[in-house]
């Protein structure tokens, strides 16, 4: 009797093992480098949360054609060395793609991901990452910094009423992130009839910018581009108000967000922001699901961009899986096959990548601070000019 | 064969690098272990090993300048950058070989180092530190603004070395090139400090007035020290650029200079073995801390955020504690350990 029971138990265990193995498809490994506690943690955290929340939602709703996404987050605290170390680990683990974060890690790993053939979807929107000749495995899901600057200039020029040429200055930190869009932006400004006055450098960690803003005041600039991050932008806006500047400011995507009114204390009124996504709660088809996932708790635009970034990668994973090419080159090809991919209106436009052009779209949502809140003013759609690729 | 005590009856015996057969055997084992390393570890850990080897070159170079000649430098990070950009420009933009690019990087950086070392004739101590700090900022500015050469804010993609049809594409194969450079340059430095030049460096460090009275040209040896140190930094920077396959200005900031200074202080000023210990310690510590904090956060998820945020603080704290309790560096501790085993059980 005992022996019979043993045999039955063994058969049952075998059956469980076999059926279990049959039902659980292997998980898809994806890397995720995030900055939660480093220099850019303030904006890195909501972005990373958006990425992870969308992944969790996919896993709960059938995964990638039945396969779960295995994507634990690694906080590299904006330390490039840590990011490269972790990247090597991801490579060893056999990830098919990586969700990355900032300029430092993206730039440092750009050549390596290219030769390792691992798609790297990040939040560094430097224009040269859109040129597949230079960065074949880099992707992102917002307008590049240069295109966003061009969109801002176009919006200002379109609304310029005076007969004289509008004067513009460029305020940015002397770091690659700050400098990246300046060349292309200046060329475009001259092309559409701006008078370019010159540059001012304000460090990302600046606690005052009086001398630079006095210079802007003396030049009588009508407009000033701010290519810093939230803290330095708040410093600039506060000092500009203190010095009584009449200059209108327009900021890069990381230059201002929903937290700016707190930091700038009212000095942000009227300032424009070149946003790459929609606002939380806006009436677009994709917002319903996003609000459900976030339990109706308002999120900053960075969260929405992280969410969109994972949405796009998920779509590529699905396509690559269907083709039986769930590997780096397969996911890259899938991303490059996306034509007018609809994010439910969460991104500024539908996303299209090609093998020769990794610009997702040329669209920027121009938002303005009005009574302490961001308000969408206009959506600018620029032509996909070949000469702007990578510049 | 050495019996009780440490008898050296000739000058030749006194200046031998490997003093006893036991040390030779140990070094043989170390050599075999280093050669076998790429077969034993891979991925992240192999990359860390590569970083350590490159850091050893940079730290040995800085120790020649700071530890042996007594010239404080806060510009080692920028000099690494000069080397990385030189080799990147020669190999990626001019199409020259890696084998030309890396030595050229050393030479160009040596020249840059000597230019910035000119103030060392008149300045010393903290004043010289600030002068070299200026070189850090000047060079960083050049890296980011001299776009035709450095690629400006975009940086330069750098190829891995090639011999015939073989490309050292994997970290495992590239490791052997870096290992060869590290061993050769470490041995060169060890020999250098035993030559007339090395003695002159130490004389300048210990008492520059006495050195000058003895006929040592302060200007020549201070400048030479800057040149040699920068040559090492240049080679290390070039090797790092080819390892990462990308060179950008953000990789060579003031933080890198400080880490290198910390390496030689923790390892031991005026000691080649100390430079090696310091490089290993400073490269491994962040990883060990990261592993420790991950383990803690796995057991106590509620303190995850706090532990991660404290990682940098713990890193600083360990360095401070190290300096308080081991001010002479790891090399000194190594000497004490060796003496302990040599004299055991009689500590006299």
């Amino acid at each position: 009797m005992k022996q019979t029971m043993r045999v039955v138990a063994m058969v049952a265990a075998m059956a469980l093992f076999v059926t279990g193995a049959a039902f659980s498809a292997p998980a898809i490994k994806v890397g995720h480098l995030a900055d939660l506690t480093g220099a850019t943690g303030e904006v890195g955290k909501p972005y990373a949360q958006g990425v992870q929340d969308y992944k969790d939602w996919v896993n709960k709703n059938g995964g990638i054609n039945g396969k779960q996404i295995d994507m634990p987050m690694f906080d590299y605290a904006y330390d490039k060395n840590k990011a490269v170390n972790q990247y090597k680990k991801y490579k060893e683990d056999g990830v098919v793609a990586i969700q990355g974060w900032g300029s430092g890690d993206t730039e440092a790993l750009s050549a390596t991901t290219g030769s390792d053939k691992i798609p790297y979807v990040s939040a560094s929107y430097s224009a040269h990452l859109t040129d597949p000749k230079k960065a074949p495995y880099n992707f992102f899901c917002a307008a590049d910094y240069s295109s966003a600057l061009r969109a801002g200039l176009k919006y200002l020029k379109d609304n310029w009423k005076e007969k004289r040429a509008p004067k513009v200055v460029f305020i940015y930190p002397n770091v690659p992130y700050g400098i990246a869009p300046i060349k292309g932006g200046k060329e475009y400004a001259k092309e559409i009839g701006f008078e370019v006055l010159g540059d001012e450098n304000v460090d990302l960690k600046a606690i005052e910018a009086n001398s630079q803003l006095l210079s802007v005041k003396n030049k009588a600039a009508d407009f000033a581009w701010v290519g810093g991050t939230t803290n330095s932008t708040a410093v600039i806006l506060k000092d500009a108000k203190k010095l009584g500047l009449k200059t209108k400011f327009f900021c890069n995507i990381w230059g201002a967000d929903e937290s700016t009114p707190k930091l700038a204390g009212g000095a942000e009124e009227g300032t424009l922001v070149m946003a790459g996504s929609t606002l939380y709660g806006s009436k677009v088809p994709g917002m319903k699901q996003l609000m459900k996932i976030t339990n109706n708790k308002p999120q900053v635009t960075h969260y929405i961009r992280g969410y969109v970034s994972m949405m796009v990668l998920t779509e590529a994973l699905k396509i690559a899986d269907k083709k039986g090419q769930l590997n780096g080159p397969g996911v890259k090809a899938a991303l490059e096959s996306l034509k007018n991919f609809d994010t439910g209106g969460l991104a500024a436009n539908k996303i299209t990548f090609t093998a020769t052009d990794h610009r997702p779209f040329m669209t920027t949502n121009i938002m303005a601070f009005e009574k302490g809140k961001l308000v969408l003013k206009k959506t600018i759609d620029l032509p996909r000019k070949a000469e702007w690729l990578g510049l | 064969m050495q019996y009780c005590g440490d008898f050296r009856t000739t000058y030749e015996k006194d200046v031998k690098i490997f003093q006893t057969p036991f040390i030779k055997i140990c070094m043989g084992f170390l050599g075999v272990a280093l050669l076998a390393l790429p077969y034993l570890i891979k991925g992240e850990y192999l990359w860390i090993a590569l970083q350590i080897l490159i850091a050893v070159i940079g730290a040995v170079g800085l120790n020649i300048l700071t530890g042996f000649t007594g010239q404080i430098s806060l510009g080692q990070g920028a000099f690494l950058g000069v080397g990385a950009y030189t080799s990147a420009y020669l190999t990626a933009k001019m199409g020259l070989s890696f084998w030309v690019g890396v030595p050229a990087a050393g030479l160009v950086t040596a020249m840059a180092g000597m230019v910035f070392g000119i103030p060392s004739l008149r300045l010393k101590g903290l004043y010289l530190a600030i002068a070299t700090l200026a070189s850090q900022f000047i060079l960083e500015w050049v890296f980011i603004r001299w776009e035709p050469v450095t690629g400006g804010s975009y940086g330069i993609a750098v190829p891995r070395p090639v011999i015939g049809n073989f490309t050292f594409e994997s970290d495992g194969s590239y490791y052997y090139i870096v290992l060869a450079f590290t061993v050769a340059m470490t041995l060169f430095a060890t020999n250098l400090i035993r030559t007339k030049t090395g003695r002159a460096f130490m004389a300048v460090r210990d008492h520059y007035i006495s050195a000058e009275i003895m006929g040592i040209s302060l200007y020549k040896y201070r400048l030479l020290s800057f040149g040699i140190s920068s040559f090492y930094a240049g080679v290390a920077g070039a090797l790092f650029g080819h390892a990462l396959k990308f060179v950008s200005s953000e990789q060579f900031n003031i933080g890198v200079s400080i880490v290198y200074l910390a390496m030689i202080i923790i390892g031991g000023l005026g000691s080649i073995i100390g430079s090696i210990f310091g490089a290993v310690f400073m490269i491994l510590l962040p990883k060990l801390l990261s592993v420790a904090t991950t383990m803690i956060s796995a057991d106590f998820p509620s303190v995850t955020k706090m532990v991660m945020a404290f990682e940098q603080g713990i890193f600083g704290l360990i360095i401070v504690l190290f300096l308080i309790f081991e001010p002479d560096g790891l090399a000194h501790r190594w000497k004490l350990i060796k003496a302990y085993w040599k004299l055991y059980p009689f500590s006299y």
Side-chain angles (χ1 to χ4, degrees), chain A residues 121-174:
Chain A
V121 188
S122 70
S124 169
Y125 305 137
S126 190
H128 81 293
L129 294 170
T130 60
D131 184 357
K133 279 182 198 156
K134 289 177 183 163
Y137 277 77
N138 282 95
F139 296 87
F140 54 71
C141 304
D144 60 85
Y145 298 140
S146 310
S147 296
L149 170 51
R150 289 187 191 105
L153 288 164
K154 185 176 181 337
Y155 175 78
L156 294 172
K157 188 68 178 37
D158 289 349
N159 290 287
W160 183 248
K161 306 286 181 214
E162 294 182 43
K163 281 183 181 173
R164 66 179 174 87
K167 298 179 202 171
V168 64
V169 290
F170 294 86
I171 306 174
Y172 56 91
N174 194 30

Side-chain angles (χ1 to χ4, degrees), chain A residues 4 17 36 42 113 134 169 193 210 229 255-256 269 332-333 346 383:
Chain A
T4 320
F17 178 75
L36 309 180
E42 201 174 299
T113 52
K134 289 177 183 163
V169 290
N210 283 316
T229 49
E269 188 69 14
K332 177 187 181 256
L346 296 174

Side-chain angles (χ1 to χ4, degrees), chain A residues 82 85 88 112 115 174, chain B residues 47 51 145 171 244-245 311:
Chain A
K82 268 190 180 179
N85 289 350
K88 298 282 176 184
T112 312
S115 56
N174 194 30
Chain B
W47 176 252
Q51 280 178 284
R145 294 286 176 175
D171 288 347
L244 195 56
K245 301 176 196 169
E311 203 177 292

